[in-house]
Amino acid sequence: MKDSTPQPTRLADYQPYPFRIEKTDLTFRLDPKATRVLSRIRFHPNPARPGRHDLRMDGERLRLIAARIDGAPVTARPDETGLTIPADALPDGAFDFEAEVEIDPSANTALEGLYMSGGMYCTQCEAEGFRRITFYPDRPDVMAPFHVRIESDMPVLLSNGNPVAQGEGWAEWDDPWPKPSYLFALVAGDLVAVRDSFTTRSGRKVDLAIWVRAGDEDRCAYAMDSLKRAMKWDEDVYGREYDLDVFNIVAVDDFNMGAMENKGLNIFNSKLVLASPETATDADFERIESVIAHEYFHNWTGNRITCRDWFQLCLKEGLTVFRDQEFTKDMRSAPVKRIEDVLMLRARQFREDMGPLAHPVRPESYIEINNFYTATVYEKGAELIGMLKLLVGDEGYRRALDLYFERHDGQAATIEDWLKVFEDATGRDLAQFKRWYTDAGTPRLKVEEDWQPGDQGGTYTLTFTQHTPPTPGQDEKPPRVIPIAVGLLNPNGDEILPTTVLEMTEERQSFSFPGLATRPVPSILRGFSAPVVLERESSFDERTFLLAHDTDPFNRWEAGRSLARDVLLSMIRDDAAPSEPHAQALARLVTDDTLDPAFRALCLRLPSEDDLAQALADAGTTPEPERIHTVREGLATYLARQLQKDLVRIYEEMETPPPYSPDAASAGRRALRLAALGYLNRIDHGARAASLFASADNMTESAAALACLIDGGRGAREIAAFYERWKDNRLVIDKWFALQVAHAQPDMAAQVAARLAEHPDFEWKNPNRFRALMGALAANHAGFHHISGAAYRFYADWLIRLDPVNPQTTARMSAAFETWTRYDAERRAMIRAELGRIRQTPDLSRDTFEMVSRILAAEKA
C-alpha cells in the first residue's frame, strides 16, 4: 500500500483554519501534459485561531515552479501532501501568496482535479481534488470569491460564475459568491451549446446552456426542460431564486460520479444528460430529471450554505436528496416515488447498516473521505429530513428552512447549526433526535397489540419496543425519536382513524385508541415514516385485507410484498408449494384499472434475490444463492401461468401508441406492460419479447425485450443486432454490456463477464463502462455467488487492475463483497482469500485499503 499506516481524520480533532481568504485569482495555461497554474491568494489571519501559525496548504502531484509572498520569493519544498511556510516567514497581517505550478492532466487517470476526457479538459474537485490543481487549503470551511483566467486554443473555455471578458485564446470568469475549493470547476474543449433562458420570479433573465460534443445536441431537450422545471419548483416551494447571470451544464464521458454541483457550472456524467427515445429508457429519463434537479438544488443547499467539514457531508447531501425526491413526487406519482425510494434504501442503506460498512449519518472518523459518499449519508440522510418535516409539520419545516437560509447564507455549517434552526423556529428540543445523526444502525421496531372491549366502546393499544443492533464501534444504542404514522381500519375496510403520527421517544412505549366499536386492523408505519425494520407477526388474511383495502399506497404495496416474501421463504426453507391465495390477491390488485399502472407494476415485482438472502440470514438460515434463484424463478413461472389471461390483457391494453413520451403516465403504462411481459416470457418461449424487440421504437421496450430473451437463454441474434445498431453510441453500449451479464444464467455469469471483458469496446478505464460490466456481475446474485468462486476471482482481478488507475471507483466497487459473512463456510473462505489478495496488493490505494479492511473486519465482529 502507498501508505502502510494510514491515519484516520477525526471529527473531534477539528480546528478552524488559521487564515481566511479574501480573494482567489487563478490563471490556467492549458496544455495536455504541462498545464501551468498561476495562483494569487489574499490571506488574512483568522480571529478564530489567534496567535501565529504556519501556512499549510494541500497539494499533491504538483511541480512547484515558483512561490512568493507579497512579491518576494520564498524558499519552500513541498512534501507528498502539501506545502508548509513557517509562521516566522509570514507577515503579521494580511498577505498575498503567489505560486506557479505545473500539472499533467493527460496522466490523471484518477479523474480527480484537472484531467482529460476525450481531448477535453475538465475538473472534479469534490471531495479533495483541488489539491491536484494547485497549493491551497483544500477544505470546505475555507471560502472565497474566485476570479479565473483560462488561456487555451480550445474554442470553449468555461469556469464558475459569470463570464466577464474573453478574447482570442483566453476567457475570464468571476464568481462573486464565496465558495470552497471543492466547488471549483473548469472545462475547456471543442463543444457546442444547447441554449435556453429562464426568467426568475424577480424578473431577472438567466442564460442557460448545456454543453456537449458535436452530434449530441439532439439529446439535451429533456435535461434542459428538467432544469427549468427545477428552477421554478425551487422558487415556488422553497423561495430560492437563482443568483448568477448564467447557468452552464457540461456533459463529460469520463466521470467518477453522477454529477457535480459546482457553482454556475455543473459537470455531469453524460449518461445523466443525453437522452432520446431511441437511446434512453424511461428510468434514464426519470434519473436525468432527478439528478438535474439535485445538482441545481445544491445551489442553495450545498453552495450558498456548505458543510464546515466532510463529517457534515449529510448536511448538504441528505437535504438535497430529500429536495430532489420531493421534486420528483410533484412531477410524477408521489406513492410510486416513495416506494421506489424505500426499495433503494432497503437494498443499499439497510445493507450498509447491517454489515461491516455501517457508519453514522455523520461519521466520527475516516481514512479516505471518498469512501463516505454512501447510501447512509445520502439516502438515510434524506430520511432524517423527512422525519424532521413530519415531526414539525409543513409550516414548521418552512419556517426552519427560511431561518436556515437567512442565518447561514455564505457560511460553512454543521449538523448542530441545522438542528438549532429547527429548535429556534419551532420551539422543539431535538437533542434526542440528533442520535439519528450520531448513531449507526437501523432500529428494529417490535409491535404488540391489545384489545379490551367495553360498554362505551373498546380500547385498542399498540405497544412498540425499539432496539438498534450493535454496529462497528457502537455497541450500545439509546432510544431514538421515531415518528410512527398509523391508521386504523374497520373489518369492512372503512378507515376509522386516518393517518396519525405517534412520536416514540422511549425504549418501550404504548399508545391507546379508545371508543372503537370493533377491533381494528392496524396500518403501521404508513408512508414508511421512519427508516426502521418493523417486526410484527401478521396473518396471511390480514395482509390480504390490507392489500385490498389500505388507504395508504405504501402500506398496500408493503402488504403484497410481504406476502410474496413469505411465500418465497416458505418455498426456500420448507419446500412449500406456491400459494394460490397469494396469486389470487395479486391478480385482484394488478387488474384493478382504477390504480396507477406504475403502482401495479411495482406490485408485480417480486422481492430480489439479495433481499431474500438477507431475510434468510436475519432468520438464522444460511442463504444458498442457487436455491434462492431457482425458487424465485419457479414462483414467477407459477404466477405467469395463474395470471396468464390477465397478463395477456394487460400486455395488450397497456401498449402506448407513438410518438414516445417520457411523461409519468406513459412511462407507467410501459412499466406495467413490460412487467406483464417479464412473466409471459416464461411461458410463451420468448415469442412476445422477440416480436417487441423487432418492432420497438424506443429503448425502454427494446432493452426490456432483449433482457427477457437473455433471461430465457435466447437472443443471440438480437444481441448481435443491438450491438450493430448502437456500436457508435457509448451510452447504449454500456447497456449492452450490462444486460448480458445481469441476465446471464448463474453458472454462466462469470464466463459471460470474462468474455465481454475481452471485447474491444470494453474501455475499462472509463468508469461508466467498468461499472456497466462489473456492477452487473455483482448484481447477478446467484451468478456472483456461484459456488465455483469464478466470479469472486474475476471481480478481484479487475479491482486489483483498476486500483492504480482509478482508486475511487475501485473502492466503491469493492462494496460488492460487504455481505460475505452471511454465506456458507466455503463461499466465505473464497471471498476471504480474494479480499486478502486485494489488501496485500503492493501500493494499494488508501481508498481501497480502507474499504477492504472494513469488509474483512466483519468476520471478527
PDB file of all heavy atoms in Angstrom, residues 649-670:
ATOM      1  N   ARG A 649     -54.060  -9.638 -21.220  1.00  0.00           N
ATOM      2  CA  ARG A 649     -54.897  -8.448 -21.395  1.00  0.00           C
ATOM      3  C   ARG A 649     -54.124  -7.177 -21.056  1.00  0.00           C
ATOM      4  O   ARG A 649     -54.173  -6.181 -21.787  1.00  0.00           O
ATOM      5  CB  ARG A 649     -56.140  -8.541 -20.506  1.00  0.00           C
ATOM      6  CG  ARG A 649     -57.064  -7.320 -20.618  1.00  0.00           C
ATOM      7  CD  ARG A 649     -58.280  -7.429 -19.734  1.00  0.00           C
ATOM      8  NE  ARG A 649     -57.954  -7.361 -18.315  1.00  0.00           N
ATOM      9  CZ  ARG A 649     -57.753  -6.208 -17.652  1.00  0.00           C
ATOM     10  NH1 ARG A 649     -57.815  -5.051 -18.294  1.00  0.00           N
ATOM     11  NH2 ARG A 649     -57.487  -6.229 -16.367  1.00  0.00           N
ATOM     12  N   ILE A 650     -53.396  -7.213 -19.951  1.00  0.00           N
ATOM     13  CA  ILE A 650     -52.596  -6.050 -19.559  1.00  0.00           C
ATOM     14  C   ILE A 650     -51.568  -5.729 -20.632  1.00  0.00           C
ATOM     15  O   ILE A 650     -51.378  -4.554 -21.011  1.00  0.00           O
ATOM     16  CB  ILE A 650     -51.910  -6.313 -18.204  1.00  0.00           C
ATOM     17  CG1 ILE A 650     -52.940  -6.273 -17.075  1.00  0.00           C
ATOM     18  CG2 ILE A 650     -50.806  -5.298 -17.947  1.00  0.00           C
ATOM     19  CD1 ILE A 650     -52.392  -6.751 -15.737  1.00  0.00           C
ATOM     20  N   TYR A 651     -50.879  -6.751 -21.119  1.00  0.00           N
ATOM     21  CA  TYR A 651     -49.838  -6.520 -22.125  1.00  0.00           C
ATOM     22  C   TYR A 651     -50.426  -5.842 -23.353  1.00  0.00           C
ATOM     23  O   TYR A 651     -49.804  -4.930 -23.921  1.00  0.00           O
ATOM     24  CB  TYR A 651     -49.182  -7.850 -22.505  1.00  0.00           C
ATOM     25  CG  TYR A 651     -48.064  -7.691 -23.499  1.00  0.00           C
ATOM     26  CD1 TYR A 651     -46.820  -7.200 -23.095  1.00  0.00           C
ATOM     27  CD2 TYR A 651     -48.239  -8.014 -24.851  1.00  0.00           C
ATOM     28  CE1 TYR A 651     -45.794  -7.035 -24.010  1.00  0.00           C
ATOM     29  CE2 TYR A 651     -47.215  -7.851 -25.764  1.00  0.00           C
ATOM     30  CZ  TYR A 651     -45.990  -7.363 -25.346  1.00  0.00           C
ATOM     31  OH  TYR A 651     -44.977  -7.189 -26.256  1.00  0.00           O
ATOM     32  N   GLU A 652     -51.599  -6.266 -23.762  1.00  0.00           N
ATOM     33  CA  GLU A 652     -52.215  -5.686 -24.963  1.00  0.00           C
ATOM     34  C   GLU A 652     -52.794  -4.302 -24.692  1.00  0.00           C
ATOM     35  O   GLU A 652     -52.629  -3.374 -25.496  1.00  0.00           O
ATOM     36  CB  GLU A 652     -53.298  -6.631 -25.485  1.00  0.00           C
ATOM     37  CG  GLU A 652     -52.738  -7.953 -26.005  1.00  0.00           C
ATOM     38  CD  GLU A 652     -53.813  -8.970 -26.326  1.00  0.00           C
ATOM     39  OE1 GLU A 652     -54.997  -8.721 -25.977  1.00  0.00           O
ATOM     40  OE2 GLU A 652     -53.474 -10.027 -26.905  1.00  0.00           O
ATOM     41  N   GLU A 653     -53.455  -4.137 -23.544  1.00  0.00           N
ATOM     42  CA  GLU A 653     -54.120  -2.866 -23.269  1.00  0.00           C
ATOM     43  C   GLU A 653     -53.142  -1.753 -22.908  1.00  0.00           C
ATOM     44  O   GLU A 653     -53.452  -0.572 -23.120  1.00  0.00           O
ATOM     45  CB  GLU A 653     -55.135  -3.044 -22.139  1.00  0.00           C
ATOM     46  CG  GLU A 653     -56.348  -3.871 -22.525  1.00  0.00           C
ATOM     47  CD  GLU A 653     -57.344  -3.995 -21.381  1.00  0.00           C
ATOM     48  OE1 GLU A 653     -57.030  -3.492 -20.273  1.00  0.00           O
ATOM     49  OE2 GLU A 653     -58.420  -4.581 -21.595  1.00  0.00           O
ATOM     50  N   MET A 654     -52.005  -2.098 -22.364  1.00  0.00           N
ATOM     51  CA  MET A 654     -51.048  -1.073 -21.948  1.00  0.00           C
ATOM     52  C   MET A 654     -50.110  -0.648 -23.074  1.00  0.00           C
ATOM     53  O   MET A 654     -49.208   0.153 -22.844  1.00  0.00           O
ATOM     54  CB  MET A 654     -50.225  -1.571 -20.753  1.00  0.00           C
ATOM     55  CG  MET A 654     -51.009  -1.660 -19.469  1.00  0.00           C
ATOM     56  SD  MET A 654     -51.585  -0.056 -18.856  1.00  0.00           S
ATOM     57  CE  MET A 654     -53.359  -0.341 -18.876  1.00  0.00           C
ATOM     58  N   GLU A 655     -50.298  -1.149 -24.254  1.00  0.00           N
ATOM     59  CA  GLU A 655     -49.473  -0.688 -25.375  1.00  0.00           C
ATOM     60  C   GLU A 655     -49.677   0.813 -25.544  1.00  0.00           C
ATOM     61  O   GLU A 655     -50.813   1.301 -25.576  1.00  0.00           O
ATOM     62  CB  GLU A 655     -49.838  -1.422 -26.655  1.00  0.00           C
ATOM     63  CG  GLU A 655     -48.962  -1.026 -27.838  1.00  0.00           C
ATOM     64  CD  GLU A 655     -49.263  -1.851 -29.076  1.00  0.00           C
ATOM     65  OE1 GLU A 655     -50.180  -2.705 -29.021  1.00  0.00           O
ATOM     66  OE2 GLU A 655     -48.572  -1.655 -30.095  1.00  0.00           O
ATOM     67  N   THR A 656     -48.586   1.545 -25.627  1.00  0.00           N
ATOM     68  CA  THR A 656     -48.642   3.002 -25.727  1.00  0.00           C
ATOM     69  C   THR A 656     -48.370   3.412 -27.162  1.00  0.00           C
ATOM     70  O   THR A 656     -47.276   3.158 -27.684  1.00  0.00           O
ATOM     71  CB  THR A 656     -47.600   3.648 -24.790  1.00  0.00           C
ATOM     72  OG1 THR A 656     -47.799   3.147 -23.462  1.00  0.00           O
ATOM     73  CG2 THR A 656     -47.738   5.165 -24.777  1.00  0.00           C
ATOM     74  N   PRO A 657     -49.344   4.030 -27.812  1.00  0.00           N
ATOM     75  CA  PRO A 657     -49.152   4.385 -29.221  1.00  0.00           C
ATOM     76  C   PRO A 657     -48.093   5.474 -29.375  1.00  0.00           C
ATOM     77  O   PRO A 657     -47.883   6.286 -28.465  1.00  0.00           O
ATOM     78  CB  PRO A 657     -50.534   4.894 -29.645  1.00  0.00           C
ATOM     79  CG  PRO A 657     -51.184   5.349 -28.386  1.00  0.00           C
ATOM     80  CD  PRO A 657     -50.678   4.442 -27.311  1.00  0.00           C
ATOM     81  N   PRO A 658     -47.408   5.501 -30.519  1.00  0.00           N
ATOM     82  CA  PRO A 658     -46.416   6.551 -30.765  1.00  0.00           C
ATOM     83  C   PRO A 658     -47.120   7.899 -30.958  1.00  0.00           C
ATOM     84  O   PRO A 658     -48.332   7.944 -31.193  1.00  0.00           O
ATOM     85  CB  PRO A 658     -45.732   6.073 -32.058  1.00  0.00           C
ATOM     86  CG  PRO A 658     -46.738   5.168 -32.717  1.00  0.00           C
ATOM     87  CD  PRO A 658     -47.519   4.540 -31.612  1.00  0.00           C
ATOM     88  N   PRO A 659     -46.387   9.003 -30.822  1.00  0.00           N
ATOM     89  CA  PRO A 659     -44.945   9.063 -30.557  1.00  0.00           C
ATOM     90  C   PRO A 659     -44.628   8.849 -29.088  1.00  0.00           C
ATOM     91  O   PRO A 659     -45.467   9.085 -28.220  1.00  0.00           O
ATOM     92  CB  PRO A 659     -44.581  10.485 -30.989  1.00  0.00           C
ATOM     93  CG  PRO A 659     -45.820  11.274 -30.714  1.00  0.00           C
ATOM     94  CD  PRO A 659     -46.967  10.350 -31.054  1.00  0.00           C
ATOM     95  N   TYR A 660     -43.414   8.410 -28.837  1.00  0.00           N
ATOM     96  CA  TYR A 660     -42.951   8.165 -27.470  1.00  0.00           C
ATOM     97  C   TYR A 660     -42.943   9.455 -26.669  1.00  0.00           C
ATOM     98  O   TYR A 660     -42.573  10.524 -27.157  1.00  0.00           O
ATOM     99  CB  TYR A 660     -41.533   7.579 -27.506  1.00  0.00           C
ATOM    100  CG  TYR A 660     -40.874   7.482 -26.145  1.00  0.00           C
ATOM    101  CD1 TYR A 660     -40.980   6.327 -25.395  1.00  0.00           C
ATOM    102  CD2 TYR A 660     -40.146   8.555 -25.627  1.00  0.00           C
ATOM    103  CE1 TYR A 660     -40.369   6.228 -24.143  1.00  0.00           C
ATOM    104  CE2 TYR A 660     -39.534   8.469 -24.380  1.00  0.00           C
ATOM    105  CZ  TYR A 660     -39.658   7.309 -23.651  1.00  0.00           C
ATOM    106  OH  TYR A 660     -39.054   7.217 -22.415  1.00  0.00           O
ATOM    107  N   SER A 661     -43.324   9.363 -25.399  1.00  0.00           N
ATOM    108  CA  SER A 661     -43.223  10.472 -24.459  1.00  0.00           C
ATOM    109  C   SER A 661     -42.700   9.939 -23.136  1.00  0.00           C
ATOM    110  O   SER A 661     -43.149   8.878 -22.678  1.00  0.00           O
ATOM    111  CB  SER A 661     -44.577  11.140 -24.246  1.00  0.00           C
ATOM    112  OG  SER A 661     -44.501  12.090 -23.193  1.00  0.00           O
ATOM    113  N   PRO A 662     -41.768  10.648 -22.483  1.00  0.00           N
ATOM    114  CA  PRO A 662     -41.248  10.180 -21.198  1.00  0.00           C
ATOM    115  C   PRO A 662     -42.105  10.609 -20.013  1.00  0.00           C
ATOM    116  O   PRO A 662     -41.683  10.424 -18.865  1.00  0.00           O
ATOM    117  CB  PRO A 662     -39.868  10.853 -21.137  1.00  0.00           C
ATOM    118  CG  PRO A 662     -40.055  12.135 -21.880  1.00  0.00           C
ATOM    119  CD  PRO A 662     -41.033  11.830 -22.990  1.00  0.00           C
ATOM    120  N   ASP A 663     -43.297  11.155 -20.246  1.00  0.00           N
ATOM    121  CA  ASP A 663     -44.119  11.622 -19.142  1.00  0.00           C
ATOM    122  C   ASP A 663     -44.500  10.457 -18.223  1.00  0.00           C
ATOM    123  O   ASP A 663     -44.455   9.286 -18.608  1.00  0.00           O
ATOM    124  CB  ASP A 663     -45.374  12.327 -19.663  1.00  0.00           C
ATOM    125  CG  ASP A 663     -46.335  11.379 -20.352  1.00  0.00           C
ATOM    126  OD1 ASP A 663     -46.176  11.147 -21.572  1.00  0.00           O
ATOM    127  OD2 ASP A 663     -47.216  10.843 -19.670  1.00  0.00           O
ATOM    128  N   ALA A 664     -44.917  10.788 -16.999  1.00  0.00           N
ATOM    129  CA  ALA A 664     -45.157   9.774 -15.978  1.00  0.00           C
ATOM    130  C   ALA A 664     -46.257   8.798 -16.374  1.00  0.00           C
ATOM    131  O   ALA A 664     -46.133   7.592 -16.139  1.00  0.00           O
ATOM    132  CB  ALA A 664     -45.500  10.450 -14.655  1.00  0.00           C
ATOM    133  N   ALA A 665     -47.338   9.308 -16.974  1.00  0.00           N
ATOM    134  CA  ALA A 665     -48.453   8.428 -17.332  1.00  0.00           C
ATOM    135  C   ALA A 665     -48.034   7.400 -18.383  1.00  0.00           C
ATOM    136  O   ALA A 665     -48.322   6.207 -18.259  1.00  0.00           O
ATOM    137  CB  ALA A 665     -49.631   9.251 -17.829  1.00  0.00           C
ATOM    138  N   SER A 666     -47.341   7.856 -19.408  1.00  0.00           N
ATOM    139  CA  SER A 666     -46.888   6.935 -20.460  1.00  0.00           C
ATOM    140  C   SER A 666     -45.864   5.948 -19.922  1.00  0.00           C
ATOM    141  O   SER A 666     -45.910   4.754 -20.242  1.00  0.00           O
ATOM    142  CB  SER A 666     -46.290   7.730 -21.624  1.00  0.00           C
ATOM    143  OG  SER A 666     -47.237   8.611 -22.181  1.00  0.00           O
ATOM    144  N   ALA A 667     -44.948   6.452 -19.098  1.00  0.00           N
ATOM    145  CA  ALA A 667     -43.935   5.572 -18.519  1.00  0.00           C
ATOM    146  C   ALA A 667     -44.581   4.522 -17.629  1.00  0.00           C
ATOM    147  O   ALA A 667     -44.148   3.361 -17.599  1.00  0.00           O
ATOM    148  CB  ALA A 667     -42.916   6.388 -17.730  1.00  0.00           C
ATOM    149  N   GLY A 668     -45.637   4.900 -16.908  1.00  0.00           N
ATOM    150  CA  GLY A 668     -46.333   3.945 -16.054  1.00  0.00           C
ATOM    151  C   GLY A 668     -46.996   2.840 -16.843  1.00  0.00           C
ATOM    152  O   GLY A 668     -46.966   1.664 -16.450  1.00  0.00           O
ATOM    153  N   ARG A 669     -47.604   3.193 -17.963  1.00  0.00           N
ATOM    154  CA  ARG A 669     -48.233   2.178 -18.821  1.00  0.00           C
ATOM    155  C   ARG A 669     -47.173   1.212 -19.373  1.00  0.00           C
ATOM    156  O   ARG A 669     -47.374   0.003 -19.391  1.00  0.00           O
ATOM    157  CB  ARG A 669     -48.986   2.855 -19.971  1.00  0.00           C
ATOM    158  CG  ARG A 669     -50.232   3.617 -19.530  1.00  0.00           C
ATOM    159  CD  ARG A 669     -50.869   4.359 -20.699  1.00  0.00           C
ATOM    160  NE  ARG A 669     -51.290   3.447 -21.764  1.00  0.00           N
ATOM    161  CZ  ARG A 669     -52.461   2.826 -21.796  1.00  0.00           C
ATOM    162  NH1 ARG A 669     -53.346   3.006 -20.816  1.00  0.00           N
ATOM    163  NH2 ARG A 669     -52.770   2.016 -22.797  1.00  0.00           N
ATOM    164  N   ARG A 670     -46.047   1.763 -19.805  1.00  0.00           N
ATOM    165  CA  ARG A 670     -44.984   0.886 -20.311  1.00  0.00           C
ATOM    166  C   ARG A 670     -44.448  -0.005 -19.199  1.00  0.00           C
ATOM    167  O   ARG A 670     -44.138  -1.179 -19.423  1.00  0.00           O
ATOM    168  CB  ARG A 670     -43.854   1.718 -20.921  1.00  0.00           C
ATOM    169  CG  ARG A 670     -44.136   2.183 -22.345  1.00  0.00           C
ATOM    170  CD  ARG A 670     -42.906   2.831 -22.982  1.00  0.00           C
ATOM    171  NE  ARG A 670     -42.556   4.091 -22.326  1.00  0.00           N
ATOM    172  CZ  ARG A 670     -43.040   5.280 -22.660  1.00  0.00           C
ATOM    173  NH1 ARG A 670     -43.909   5.381 -23.652  1.00  0.00           N
ATOM    174  NH2 ARG A 670     -42.648   6.362 -22.022  1.00  0.00           N
TER     175      ARG A 670
END
